[in-house]
Amino acid sequence: QVQLVESGGGLVQAGGSLRLSCAASGRTASSYAMAWFRQAPGKEREFVSTVNWSGEHTYYGASVKGRFTISRDNAKNTVYLQMNSLKPEDTAVYYCAADARHPLLGDPAYWGQGTQVTVSS
């Protein structure tokens, strides 16, 4: 069992930056692939980024590639999403996810509760 708790969301102006964190608990958390997804109002949940257990391999969705960076610190059981050059269309609830599979592009075994990111124009 893995529990995930996100933090770091908030309100930011377009062009600004935010860093999301996801703290994982559970004795196997550091061996799991981790990912971020997002869901905007009235839209389907969208893949944002994923990282394998070691942090060596990452994937990004087309809409965030070049602006967002995923990383992890296994000593802290935490995964991060650094979001730069934010746009109003990045506004969404961001969810952390974990699974034994990599790349984790969908249908994860574990979800966090989400953190709201709002980008004003």
Side-chain angles (χ1 to χ4, degrees), residues 67-114:
R67 300 187 298 122
F68 291 9
T69 303
I70 193 170
S71 62
R72 67 189 297 163
D73 183 341
N74 284 342
K76 297 181 179 179
N77 275 352
T78 300
V79 64
Y80 304 98
L81 186 68
Q82 178 66 44
M83 305 185 294
N84 298 329
S85 302
L86 282 161
K87 305 174 181 180
E89 51 264 43
D90 293 319
T91 295
V93 177
Y94 283 71
Y95 296 91
C96 180
D99 199 283
R101 297 173 293 121
H102 178 74
L104 179 50
L105 304 179
D107 299 322
Y110 304 102
W111 287 103
Q113 291 188 318

Side-chain angles (χ1 to χ4, degrees), residues 10-18 38 40 43 46 61-68 82-94 116-121:
L11 174 64
V12 64
Q13 287 189 330
S17 298
L18 278 177
R38 67 186 183 185
K43 295 188 177 181
E46 175 190 13
S63 60
V64 306
K65 197 169 185 178
R67 300 187 298 122
F68 291 9
Q82 178 66 44
M83 305 185 294
N84 298 329
S85 302
L86 282 161
K87 305 174 181 180
E89 51 264 43
D90 293 319
T91 295
V93 177
Y94 283 71
Q116 176 71 46
V117 171
T118 303
V119 184
S120 63
S121 56

Side-chain angles (χ1 to χ4, degrees), residues 1-42:
Q1 191 76 8
V2 175
Q3 292 80 42
L4 305 171
V5 178
E6 303 96 333
S7 61
L11 174 64
V12 64
Q13 287 189 330
S17 298
L18 278 177
R19 188 177 81 157
L20 305 183
S21 299
C22 174
S25 60
R27 61 186 178 91
T28 60
S30 62
S31 67
Y32 277 61
M34 302 290 289
W36 290 94
F37 294 81
R38 67 186 183 185
Q39 189 167 21

